[in-house]
Amino acid sequence: MTSFGFKFDNTYLQLPKVFYTKLLPAPVPKPEMVILNTPLATDLGLNFSDISTDEQAVLFAGNQMPEEAEPFAQAYAGHQFGHFTMLGDGRAIVWGEHITPTGQRFDLQFKGSGPTPYSRGGDGRAAIGPMLREYIISEAMHALNIPTTRSLAVVTNGGQVYRETPLPGAILTRVASSHIRVGTFQFAALHRDREVIKSLLDYTIKRHSPHIEEKQNKSLSLLKSVIEKQAELIAHWMRVGFVHGVMNTDNMALSGETIDYGPCAFMDAYDPETVFSSIDHMGRYAYANQPAIAQWNLARFAETLLPLLDDDAEKAKEIAEEAINGFGAVYKEKSLSMLRAKVGLFGEQAEDEGLITDLLDWMHRQNADYTNTFLDLTSEAPPKGKLYEGDTFKEWHARWQVRLAKNTEPLESSLSLMRSNNPVVIPRNHKVEQVLDAATNGDLQPLKDFIAALQEPYKNSSYLKPYQSPPKPEETVCQTFCGT
Ligand code: AMP
Ligand code: MG
């Protein structure tokens, strides 16, 4: 097989053997290409243009792995909806780590590539809809400047998977800074062997935060760094109205990337209680709960580090608690800074938080669309339309003008700050469902057009119109499904 530019350096296999199982993807009968992310391939230093789409399909189905790949499934555990479980890659296989021409290291990973020792009775497979959903949303998140895993390719496997109905089976090739999860640390901690957890700590630091190697308390430095990255990530999600849907500890990556897109979706009308996932009956992972859940997950991470934080168990607990209690302030600062940017505020004034909260409360009461309301504010003239005619909005608008006048920067800078923080287009759930429906029935054009429209979400253009409207009542999609 030609090399395509692959340059593997598979360091994860240097961890103790408990962390993985080497195995090959299960071959599939008749793979067919659905989509290849050529710009991403180019960024990774990969080129598949010399082979036919049939040969590409063989590669991205795992029927023939690149020579230097050393495929394996990862072991991990995790709290799912608050309950601790042993997990692991039940339907995923990491090819290995690819080094890009600029020296960046990425895991390449299949999702839907067949059973593994961690499948727990599952079929190890995935249906086309959820794999394309991950492709669409992860690529949209990347374009929105939000840390995320990426999607390189989707193939159908020629077979069917059986969920509520038979569906075409598919495999996604995912690209991630790593697949180290809070759940990977939870798995390590279960061994009650200092060397096991220490090996994972050292590996994670080397891979994600090499500057920490010199620090005196490395585990505390890693904890603080992960807290910082997660606070930033969640603030971004909130900024664009993203609801992850399954923030289990196994779905939180230490790299700070959004990972494991399941029943995730973007909110249309602003409502802090928004929940999409059909399995989230209690609203545990509702939009407004995401920061608190992130903190809860980080506390589970901190617990795994206790033996390393200090030799004195009481002291270790104190250190962990102090770091975790710090999440709120870190998150608040990042969130406020992103929200200030959404309304074009420079500098910090005492009234900023109240001004922003009042806008959000008004949006909630009016059932206003989150994305489009911020977009309507992103222009010199006051926003037009029925929504903005009431006195409450007019009073808020006047307060906002007074605050804008305190900016140290000219109005043009405010508008450009707003334009780079308020997307003109997001992958609205009803559109996602429409294109997935068409794709599942063999029509890929709406999917490809949609993905193209999501490429530059901060640049307004008339061709984005069909993607900008909130759903009509008959188009509203209230629930999304895990699709495992
Ligand atoms: P997720 O909700 O996709 O994060 O998956 C939670 C866990 O279930 C992970 O350990 C997955 O590997 C596993 N899993 C999900 N779907 C399947 C499947 N079809 N077969 C086997 N394991 C699965
Ligand atoms: Mg997962």
Side-chain angles (χ1 to χ4, degrees):
M1 198 187 243
T2 17
S3 82
F4 307 113
F6 286 120
K7 197 172 156 220
F8 283 99
D9 177 37
N10 306 322
T11 58
Y12 202 79
L13 299 174
Q14 291 160 16
L15 280 170
K17 287 199 166 33
V18 291
F19 284 107
Y20 59 86
T21 302
K22 285 172 115 179
L23 83 169
L24 286 169
V28 303
K30 197 173 170 298
E32 266 179 58
M33 257 348 255
V34 177
I35 191 162
L36 173 66
N37 191 340
T38 308
L40 173 59
T42 306
D43 285 352
L44 295 169
L46 300 174
N47 183 351
F48 306 103
S49 62
D50 291 341
I51 55 169
S52 68
T53 43
D54 282 351
E55 288 168 310
Q56 290 173 358
V58 168
L59 173 70
F60 289 111
N63 282 6
Q64 197 180 345
M65 299 290 292
E67 261 159 37
E68 294 169 82
E70 294 179 86
F72 62 92
Q74 291 181 333
Y76 52 86
H79 277 88
Q80 300 198 300
F81 292 91
H83 303 285
F84 186 76
T85 326
M86 288 298 275
L87 295 160
D89 287 335
R91 54 166 174 172
I93 288 183
V94 180
W95 306 21
E97 296 144 47
H98 166 69
I99 313 293
T100 70
T102 56
Q104 283 177 288
R105 178 181 300 272
F106 289 106
D107 276 4
L108 298 177
Q109 192 212 49
F110 282 136
K111 197 164 166 182
S113 50
T116 76
Y118 314 107
S119 294
R120 300 176 298 151
D123 61 2
R125 293 292 176 197
I128 185 168
M131 295 305 98
L132 287 175
R133 173 179 273 276
E134 172 152 348
Y135 188 112
I136 296 168
I137 301 190
S138 64
E139 289 305 300
M141 292 289 267
H142 172 73
L144 287 162
N145 302 326
I146 300 176
T148 178
T149 62
R150 306 281 308 270
S151 297
L152 182 59
V154 174
V155 298
T156 45
N157 65 20
Q160 289 192 315
V161 295
Y162 298 89
R163 300 298 182 251
E164 266 138 39
T165 51
L167 295 162
I171 301 171
L172 168 80
T173 301
R174 170 155 90 178
V175 179
S177 291
S178 89
H179 285 89
I180 305 167
R181 305 150 189 272
V182 167
T184 318
F185 274 80
Q186 291 182 288
F187 172 83
L190 278 181
H191 290 75
R192 304 204 177 281
D193 176 344
R194 199 184 150 88
E195 282 316 303
V196 171
I197 188 84
K198 178 87 169 49
S199 64
L200 183 62
L201 175 87
D202 289 343
Y203 180 80
T204 306
I205 288 174
K206 194 163 177 201
R207 190 148 173 187
H208 290 300
S209 314
H211 62 279
I212 288 176
E213 281 179 322
E214 306 305 317
K215 297 273 184 262
Q216 222 187 349
N217 191 335
K218 289 198 273 184
S219 48
L220 178 59
S221 298
L222 180 68
L223 176 59
K224 284 186 174 164
S225 150
V226 173
I227 288 172
E228 173 100 18
K229 284 180 189 167
Q230 285 298 329
E232 171 107 11
L233 180 64
I234 309 296
H236 271 299
W237 290 359
M238 304 300 276
R239 165 175 78 81
V240 297
F242 175 75
V243 185
H244 182 284
V246 219
M247 286 180 70
N248 295 333
T249 55
D250 50 301
N251 293 338
M252 183 181 257
L254 295 213
S255 63
E257 289 175 347
T258 313
I259 194 169
D260 277 5
Y261 292 87
C264 58
F266 284 70
M267 167 169 82
D268 293 298
Y270 178 74
D271 180 354
E273 289 177 22
T274 302
V275 175
F276 293 99
S277 168
S278 61
I279 54 172
D280 191 1
H281 306 295
M282 310 291 284
R284 178 180 169 92
Y285 299 139
Y287 172 78
N289 286 356
Q290 296 184 120
I293 289 290
Q295 186 177 27
W296 191 88
N297 290 349
L298 289 163
R300 305 291 76 76
F301 174 50
E303 283 164 5
T304 71
L305 299 175
L306 287 173
L308 304 174
L309 283 167
D310 201 282
D311 288 338
D312 175 343
E314 270 311 303
K315 185 87 199 299
K317 213 166 139 232
E318 267 169 40
I319 295 172
E321 272 171 8
E322 194 187 330
I324 294 299
N325 289 340
F327 174 86
V330 180
Y331 172 76
K332 188 162 178 188
E333 194 228 304
K334 290 184 186 290
S335 154
L336 203 49
S337 142
M338 288 187 203
L339 288 166
R340 277 196 180 98
K342 279 178 85 69
V343 286
L345 305 184
F346 287 99
E348 293 176 13
Q349 300 288 339
E351 68 264 36
D352 294 353
E353 196 177 344
L355 185 72
I356 293 162
T357 309
D358 289 349
L359 173 67
L360 292 172
D361 287 347
W362 170 82
M363 282 168 64
H364 188 195
R365 285 195 303 276
Q366 298 297 316
N367 220 13
D369 186 83
Y370 185 66
T371 304
N372 290 353
T373 303
F374 280 108
L375 198 58
D376 289 344
L377 296 177
T378 309
S379 79
E380 216 161 318
K384 290 198 188 68
K386 216 169 161 21
L387 175 64
Y388 305 109
E389 282 165 11
D391 287 342
T392 316
F393 179 78
K394 285 187 181 150
E395 278 161 30
W396 181 86
H397 194 267
R399 276 166 65 205
W400 181 41
Q401 297 307 305
V402 171
R403 171 59 183 87
L404 282 173
K406 295 185 189 167
N407 274 347
T408 44
E409 313 273 332
L411 181 63
E412 197 36 58
S413 306
S414 259
L415 289 172
S416 99
L417 179 68
M418 291 175 75
R419 282 189 197 112
S420 52
N421 285 280
N422 294 321
V424 296
V425 63
I426 51 161
R428 289 184 187 271
N429 209 20
H430 66 294
K431 284 287 164 200
V432 174
E433 293 294 337
Q434 282 169 18
V435 306
L436 292 183
D437 236 24
T440 308
N441 291 304
D443 181 7
L444 294 175
Q445 203 51 50
L447 170 83
K448 293 192 172 166
D449 293 345
F450 191 38
I451 290 169
L454 296 166
Q455 288 297 302
E456 289 189 297
Y458 298 108
K459 219 160 127 189
N460 215 343
S461 162
S462 57
Y463 87 101
L464 295 175
K465 266 252 157 319
Y467 304 106
Q468 289 179 301
S469 309
K472 299 190 188 100
E474 68 276 15
E475 290 177 319
T476 305
V477 182
C478 300
Q479 280 200 330
T480 50
F481 297 88
C482 239
T484 46

